[in-house]
Amino acid sequence: MTPSSRVYRGHIFHIAGSPTVADARRHLVSLPDGALVTTDAGRIAWVGSFVDLPAVYVALPVTDNRGGFILPGFVDTHLHFPQTYSTDAYGGGQLLEWLDNCVFPAEARLHDPAFGEQIARDFTRRRIAAGTTSALVFGSAFPHAQDALFEESQRAGLRLVSGRGIQTVGSEPSQALLTSEAAALELATDEIARWHAVDTGDPATALLQVAVVPRFSLSVTPTTLVGLGELYDEVRGQGVYFHSHLNENNRPGTGEIDAVKSVYQVDTYLDTYDGRFLPGSARGGSSLLGRRSILAHAVHCEDSELARLAETGTSVAHCPTSQQFLGSGTMPWLRTTSFGVNVAIGSDIGAGDEWLISRVLNDCFKVHLSEPGEAGLSLDPAVLLFTGTLAGARALDMEDRFGNFDVGKDADFLLIEPDRWEPLATVLERGIRADDEEMATDQTLFALLLALRQPAIAGVFVRGRRVLAPAGR
C-alpha cells in the first residue's frame, strides 16, 4: 500500500521529544480523541486532539479508530532470526548448554536454501503480527539465508538491521556454523556491500542496514577480533552497526563470563569488545563500541563496564523474558540506568518466547518489581512505553527518524483495536480507573501494554505504508 495523506483518529499514546528514561513520564502524551496526520511521503505532518485539527487537514480522508489506540511501532533491539522455531526448546539448561543442545543444531538447518527461505518468511510474518516495525536481528551463519531475510523484509517494508552470525571457533555442536577467520571477514564485508542502506543509499534514512555480529567473545579468537576491529574502522562511518552479547551468564567457574575471562585473561568481559582483548586487558585492536553498538543482556556488569558503555554511547538490549528462561538473572535497572546507559528492550527470540514487545515489557515490569531491597522498583507505564519505542530508536541511532510522533518523523505506528481481543477490551472497559486524570491515564496505558496480544493489532505502518505479511505455508 502506497503512503497517502491521511488522518488517523483514535487514542494516541507516545513519548514526545527526546527525554532520558528518568524524564519519560513528563513527556508522555495521551490524546483520548487524537489525530495523527501523515503525508504522502510517509511523514508525520501533525499530531494533536482531533477537535483542534487544522483546517488544512480537514478535507483529508480519516481512518476512524475511535475505541482503539494509536501507538508508535515497537522496536526490538535483540532477536535471533535462525531461532524462529526454537522458542520454548526443552533440553538445554543454562546458556552454554542450551546453545549446544538446542540452538546450534537448529541454526545449522538454515544450510538448506529452501529452509532458509521458509524461515525468513515465517520470521517476517511473526514480526508483522507483533507490530515490530524496527528490529536489530542476529543473523544466520549462511549468506543465502541472510539474503532471504533481507529480501522478505524489503518486500514487506519493514525496518531491519541484521548481520551474519560470526563464529570462527566453537564446540562440536557448532561446527556447521564456523568459518575460517578470513572467510568471516570476507562474508561480513560482502554483506555490507550488498545490503547496507541498499534501499536509499543513506544510512540516515534506510530501512535496510547491516551490522557486524560476532555471536559472543567465546565464538571468536583474538585474531578474529583484530580483523573485526579493522573492518569496523573502515565501515563505522557508513553507519554500519555492531551487535553482540555481554555478561549474560555468571555461573561460577563454568558460565559464560568466567569462560570469557579465562580464555582471554582479561579484567572484564567488555574489554574484549573494546579492543583490550589481550592478556591483562592490553590493547590488541580497535574498539567496537559506539553510538551504533548495541550489546544484549548486560545482566552482570561491573561498574567500570557500565561507565564505559555510557561513555561510548553503547546501548543495552535488555531481555528479561529470555533471562528468566535461561536462569541468567535480572539486569539491575536502577544501577544500569544511573550510569546513563540507554536501555532498550529485546525479545531475544528464541530463548525469549514472546514476539510481542509489550509482552516483554510485561516481564520487564515484573522482574524489576521483584529485584531485592532498594534495587526493586515499579516501572511506570511511560517508562515501559519509552523502553519499547523511543529508547530502541535511540539505540539504533535513528531517533530523528522514528520512535514517537514528533512532527517530521517517519510515520511508523500501530492501530490497536481492543475488541479484536476480548480480554484486552474488557480490562480497558471495565477496569477500575482513578478519579485523578493523571493516574487514570497511567492505568489505561499500563493495562493496554500489559494486556495487549497480537490479535488486537489491526494495522502496522512503516513510513505511512501499511505493512503486509508474506503468505504463510
Side-chain angles (χ1 to χ4, degrees):
M1 179 183 293
T2 304
S4 62
S5 297
R6 177 173 288 271
V7 178
Y8 294 87
R9 187 176 185 181
H11 190 156
I12 293 172
F13 280 115
H14 76 119
I15 306 298
S18 184
T20 64
V21 64
D23 291 329
R25 182 179 179 81
R26 293 194 291 113
H27 287 251
L28 174 64
V29 174
S30 173
L31 300 167
D33 186 13
L36 179 72
V37 181
T38 64
T39 71
D40 55 9
R43 297 286 186 87
I44 297 169
W46 187 83
V47 63
S49 294
F50 188 82
V51 69
D52 297 325
L53 187 68
V56 67
Y57 303 125
V58 169
L60 292 179
V62 177
T63 296
D64 193 339
N65 198 48
R66 279 179 292 178
F69 298 85
I70 303 173
L71 298 177
F74 291 133
V75 183
D76 190 340
T77 56
H78 183 63
L79 69 166
H80 292 256
F81 156 55
Q83 295 175 30
T84 297
Y85 307 139
S86 298
T87 56
D88 300 310
Y90 177 72
Q94 291 193 350
L95 175 64
L96 299 183
E97 295 77 24
W98 178 75
L99 289 171
D100 280 346
N101 296 333
C102 300
V103 168
F104 294 148
E107 293 194 3
R109 299 176 69 195
L110 277 73
H111 180 268
D112 176 5
F115 188 86
E117 292 174 1
Q118 179 66 62
I119 198 171
R121 286 193 296 272
D122 289 343
F123 178 86
T124 303
R125 290 175 63 245
R126 282 160 176 71
R127 273 193 61 190
I128 295 170
T132 303
T133 53
S134 183
L136 174 55
V137 178
F138 194 105
S140 169
F142 304 106
H144 57 258
Q146 281 298 99
D147 288 344
L149 173 64
F150 277 106
E151 289 162 1
E152 290 293 345
S153 298
Q154 185 172 37
R155 191 174 296 119
L158 291 169
R159 297 184 188 273
L160 172 72
V161 180
S162 185
R164 177 186 170 273
I166 297 170
Q167 294 181 248
T168 58
V169 66
S171 61
E172 181 60 33
S174 71
Q175 292 302 301
L177 307 175
L178 306 188
T179 67
S180 69
E181 287 158 334
L185 295 173
E186 291 170 4
L187 291 170
T189 301
D190 180 65
E191 185 172 39
I192 292 166
R194 288 188 301 111
W195 285 111
H196 187 62
V198 68
D199 53 316
T200 69
D202 181 357
T205 61
L207 297 183
L208 302 178
Q209 304 201 52
V210 175
V212 174
V213 186
R215 182 180 292 277
F216 59 169
S217 296
L218 294 175
S219 71
V220 293
T221 67
T223 301
T224 314
L225 288 172
V226 170
L228 292 179
E230 292 172 350
L231 172 61
Y232 201 54
D233 282 345
E234 296 174 7
V235 300
R236 185 192 291 266
Q238 302 171 31
V240 172
Y241 293 82
F242 173 75
H243 186 46
S244 194
H245 300 84
L246 175 71
N247 286 329
E248 183 175 359
N249 179 280
N250 71 337
R251 184 175 60 202
T254 58
E256 171 209 23
I257 296 171
D258 280 358
V260 169
K261 290 181 177 180
S262 174
V263 168
Y264 286 91
Q265 294 296 296
V266 290
D267 298 328
T268 72
Y269 194 150
L270 186 65
D271 285 342
T272 61
Y273 300 132
D274 202 14
R276 299 180 181 278
F277 47 76
L278 297 182
S281 291
R283 181 161 297 282
S286 296
S287 178
L288 296 163
L289 307 181
R291 285 177 60 86
R292 287 201 165 197
S293 300
I294 301 94
L295 294 172
H297 303 296
V299 178
H300 307 286
C301 287
E302 299 180 23
D303 285 356
S304 62
E305 293 175 297
L306 294 175
R308 182 60 176 158
L309 291 174
E311 177 187 5
T312 58
T314 302
S315 290
V316 165
H318 178 30
C319 306
T321 304
S322 70
Q323 287 157 19
Q324 292 179 90
F325 180 75
L326 292 176
S328 302
T330 298
M331 183 208 78
W333 182 276
L334 288 175
R335 180 166 163 265
T336 303
T337 58
S338 71
F339 276 85
V341 178
N342 180 53
V343 176
I345 205 76
S347 66
D348 198 16
I349 297 295
D353 61 356
E354 296 286 1
W355 289 85
L356 183 60
I357 283 297
S358 60
R359 295 295 297 153
V360 184
L361 296 171
N362 186 310
D363 285 336
C364 184
F365 175 81
K366 294 170 182 174
V367 298
H368 295 299
L369 189 63
S370 301
E371 285 193 70
E374 294 183 357
L377 77 163
S378 176
L379 295 173
D380 69 63
V383 167
L384 295 175
L385 181 61
F386 171 86
T387 304
T389 56
L390 192 58
R394 184 172 298 166
L396 296 176
D397 194 30
M398 294 288 282
E399 185 179 357
D400 60 335
R401 306 301 302 182
F402 61 90
N404 61 16
F405 295 144
D406 287 355
V407 171
K409 289 191 178 183
D410 291 346
D412 292 12
F413 63 97
L414 310 178
L415 297 180
I416 310 297
E417 295 181 10
D419 286 344
R420 295 164 62 110
W421 180 247
E422 183 182 359
L424 173 63
T426 54
V427 163
L428 291 168
E429 179 183 350
R430 301 170 190 169
I432 294 173
R433 297 292 178 266
D435 293 333
D436 177 77
E437 182 178 353
E438 184 177 351
M439 176 57 77
T441 296
D442 285 349
Q443 290 170 330
T444 298
L445 178 56
F446 188 77
L448 173 63
L449 291 175
L450 269 64
L452 180 64
R453 301 292 189 277
Q454 279 95 327
I457 300 176
V460 180
F461 295 79
V462 174
R463 283 189 185 156
R465 173 184 176 271
R466 184 184 286 269
V467 176
L468 301 176
R473 59 182 182 180

